[in-house]
Amino acid sequence: MPIHAALLPFLVLCVILVNGWTDAPNAIATAVGSGALSFRPAVALAAVCNFAGVALACLCFPAVAATMENLVRFSSPQATQAGLCGALLAVILWGVAAWRFGLPTSESHALLAGLSGAALALGADIQPSAWVAVGVGLVLSLPAGVVAGRAVCCGLGRIPHNPIQGQRWAAALTAFLHGAQDGQKFLALLLMAQGVSAARPPLILLLLTADTMALGTGLGGRRIVEKIGHELAHLTPTQGLAADLGTGVVLGVCSALGLPVSTSHAKVAAICGASPHPKAGVVAQLLLVWALTFPACMGLGYGFALLLG
């Protein structure tokens, strides 16, 4: 058995774990930052809701998984395994390096970049229609998040509400939708490795994906919560609620349309829309990391795929 055939399931689970650890904290960052939830209860809430999001989305509306499985056609099962391993190694290396500095990377962005690099390295057939959906999701998530965050904030100013209680529910919703989005992406990789359609995911793989993401979320990601919940902007409870609901709107609509998007991008954009004064230095730092993600992970995916192929 080629080494990457045995390595692939392990790497997929590692990336799901890293995603729960470094991306899922975005869902609870504003609730923790405003004091609506303390850190540990927020982490537990996010873990449970991520599990539910992965499980229900993959069973009931696997549109994002279907988009992911149509992105690339490798020439053989061996090339598929080598290419996926290369892409996953790129995601793990980039995600852990960014976590070290408390920066919320997008594992979705990194995965797509690593997968494109691996496809180029191995001469795979890239499917334009699926990549159009990817491009639309990645490009629109930032302006859509800003608009949604601002619109919800303005709307909340006109109606009576309990921002603290609302943020708790909104944090749960955001964590659920993070699981719905990102769980499908990584389950699709497991299914690609097994040659199984996303329309019929085996229950054991679905539960394994959900359990692993919940475990990763349970690790906390405190540095990223600090960066997004405290350093990016000082939010009132109402502004935090608006940011969470704005993020939920973007994730929910894109999940229904089968558009892979980044929870990190949507959440940071919604915070910038809801807050009158996001910190320019932190925003610039995040934009720089996101701008570097695609070329860095594409190069890493290309190199690892060549090595393994």
Side-chain angles (χ1 to χ4, degrees):
M1 177 186 294
I3 186 171
H4 42 68
L7 186 62
L8 181 55
F10 173 74
L11 287 179
V12 175
L13 294 177
C14 285
V15 169
I16 297 170
L17 187 76
V18 169
N19 179 267
W21 179 26
T22 63
D23 201 358
N26 289 294
I28 58 171
T30 45
V32 173
S34 70
L37 287 167
S38 57
F39 181 72
R40 278 298 160 195
V43 168
L45 174 69
V48 171
C49 292
N50 266 283
F51 178 93
V54 174
L56 290 179
C58 293
L59 282 174
C60 302
F61 50 97
V64 172
T67 299
M68 290 295 298
E69 73 174 358
N70 289 322
L71 289 174
V72 175
R73 293 281 188 271
F74 288 97
S75 59
S76 67
Q78 292 75 20
T80 299
Q81 293 161 357
L84 293 180
C85 282
L88 293 165
L89 286 169
V91 175
I92 292 169
L93 186 60
W94 185 253
V96 172
W99 167 84
R100 173 65 181 79
F101 296 98
L103 298 171
T105 57
S106 165
E107 269 70 36
S108 303
H109 194 180
L111 174 61
L112 294 165
L115 193 58
S116 63
L120 291 174
L122 300 177
D125 183 16
I126 294 175
Q127 307 295 306
S129 59
W131 281 95
V132 167
V134 167
V136 169
L138 288 177
V139 169
L140 291 184
S141 59
L142 289 173
V146 172
V147 171
R150 172 56 58 190
V152 174
C153 193
C154 291
L156 289 174
R158 300 188 180 95
I159 59 174
H161 62 282
N162 181 337
I164 298 298
Q165 187 62 34
Q167 266 203 284
R168 293 168 183 163
W169 285 105
L173 173 66
T174 307
F176 175 88
L177 290 171
H178 168 267
Q181 259 284 331
D182 286 16
Q184 290 190 65
K185 295 165 191 163
F186 299 117
L187 177 62
L189 299 189
L190 282 174
L191 298 177
M192 285 171 66
Q194 302 294 323
V196 179
S197 169
R200 299 184 301 277
L203 184 60
I204 185 65
L205 293 182
L206 189 155
L207 292 176
L208 186 60
T209 301
D211 282 333
T212 305
M213 184 170 286
L215 178 62
T217 305
L219 296 176
R222 186 183 289 271
R223 292 184 181 187
I224 292 169
V225 171
E226 289 289 331
K227 177 72 71 175
I228 299 303
H230 295 286
E231 296 180 29
L232 177 59
H234 292 295
L235 298 174
T236 66
T238 294
Q239 290 167 349
L241 174 58
D244 288 342
L245 291 176
T247 305
V249 169
V250 174
L251 294 180
V253 170
C254 290
S255 295
L257 295 175
L259 302 178
V261 294
S262 164
T263 304
S264 301
H265 291 185
K267 185 58 174 282
V268 169
I271 290 173
C272 291
S275 169
H277 304 294
K279 295 182 181 177
V282 178
V283 172
Q285 187 182 41
L286 296 176
L287 289 175
L288 177 61
V289 172
W290 293 343
L292 291 175
T293 294
F294 205 94
C297 291
M298 186 175 181
L300 289 169
Y302 186 96
F304 282 130
L306 279 182
L307 182 64
L308 293 168

